[in-house]
Amino acid sequence: DQQVKQNSPSLSVQEGRISILNCDYTNSMFDYFLWYKKYPAEGPTFLISISSIKDKNEDGRFTVFLNKSAKHLSLHIVPSQPGDSAVYFCAAASNDYKLSFGAGTTVTVRA
Amino acid sequence: GAVVSQHPSWVICKSGTSVKIECRSLDFQATTMFWYRQFPKQSLMLMATSNEGSKATYEQGVEKDKFLINHASLTLSTLTVTSAHPEDSSFYICSAPDDTEAFFGQGTRLTVV
């Protein structure tokens, strides 16, 4: 049973524009949410996180929004750069750090 | 920041042999480490939780006798794939949390031929 869902397997965006990645979850016990970036044949790299007490967290070009009532979070990348091309995983956990991952969204930034 | 080192990054082995993958936390102690597996074009799936000084806990459907986990110290966990078969070919990733977040190893690409 997939508790974290990323319904868009891929996203193509032009350099300089905004990338918006979406993620939905079903487990109301999740209180910690993360986005990871992954290049082929490498482990995931932590990007940004948000706890359930917040609805927004910003770090440079990356902003994560959390809507608890809708069980939905999104990642905004502004402006998108070619180096952002990668697979992005949404993950969620309760307080035990056991992460449940979405299936990933492959982002391609076009020059 | 905290670093988790995983070794080897890739390995090819013959069917029926065993393969050991190491996961080390380099600058912090991790009483708990996690092992994930990723099949092509699929999400990372938690296989088991490695607990220092005690038995690992396995997720449903993961064979504990096939995937042996040892967490011998506060900085090292090992995953041994025993009697490997081609269907065990996958990308294995470990993770270790410190007080604030979970850090991932580089991953191990296992190919069983």
Side-chain angles (χ1 to χ4, degrees):
Chain A
D1 181 30
Q2 197 79 11
Q3 297 188 81
V4 178
K5 295 181 181 179
Q6 292 175 255
N7 292 319
S8 297
S10 63
L11 172 69
S12 180
V13 64
Q14 193 156 9
E15 182 178 4
R17 297 291 184 95
I18 183 172
S19 295
I20 300 177
L21 292 82
N22 293 301
C23 178
D24 297 291
Y25 62 95
T26 57
N27 189 340
S28 59
M29 298 300 293
F30 288 148
D31 57 10
Y32 187 52
F33 305 90
L34 312 94
W35 285 93
Y36 285 88
K37 181 178 179 179
K38 185 180 181 299
Y39 294 112
E42 293 183 11
T45 305
F46 170 76
L47 202 56
I48 192 168
S49 66
I50 189 167
S51 72
S52 58
I53 61 174
K54 290 187 169 183
D55 55 18
K56 177 182 176 182
N57 189 24
E58 191 172 354
D59 184 2
R61 297 185 296 114
F62 303 92
T63 303
V64 57
F65 296 92
L66 175 63
N67 182 333
K68 285 180 292 181
S69 60
K71 293 190 177 66
H72 177 85
L73 66 155
S74 62
L75 174 69
H76 292 205
I77 307 173
V78 183
S80 300
Q81 299 175 354
D84 296 331
S85 296
V87 180
Y88 290 79
F89 289 97
C90 167
S94 52
N95 59 4
D96 60 2
Y97 284 110
K98 292 168 70 170
L99 294 170
S100 294
F101 284 86
T105 297
T106 300
V107 172
T108 303
V109 180
R110 309 185 309 272
Chain B
V3 175
V4 172
S5 176
Q6 186 174 338
H7 177 80
S9 56
W10 62 270
V11 59
I12 301 173
C13 70
K14 289 185 177 179
S15 222
T17 61
S18 295
V19 173
K20 181 186 283 188
I21 304 170
E22 293 187 347
C23 181
R24 293 179 185 274
S25 57
L26 296 184
D27 55 2
F28 67 103
Q29 294 181 333
T31 56
T32 301
M33 293 187 180
F34 301 103
W35 287 95
Y36 296 85
R37 179 176 180 176
Q38 184 185 21
F39 291 105
K41 297 185 179 179
Q42 293 188 30
S43 178
L44 288 88
M45 299 296 293
L46 179 66
M47 296 175 64
T49 303
S50 172
N51 305 296
E52 189 271 334
S54 64
K55 290 183 178 180
T57 53
Y58 291 80
E59 297 300 303
Q60 190 173 11
V62 179
E63 299 176 60
K64 62 180 182 181
D65 294 330
K66 181 168 186 63
F67 299 99
L68 299 179
I69 291 173
N70 185 294
H71 198 141
S73 75
L74 288 171
T75 59
L76 174 64
S77 173
T78 61
L79 168 68
T80 302
V81 183
T82 63
S83 187
H85 288 104
E87 57 264 31
D88 299 324
S89 298
S90 190
F91 193 57
Y92 295 85
I93 304 173
C94 69
S95 167
D98 67 2
D99 294 333
T100 57
E101 65 179 269
F103 299 92
F104 284 84
Q106 304 93 318
T108 299
R109 170 74 62 191
L110 170 63
T111 302
V112 184
V113 298

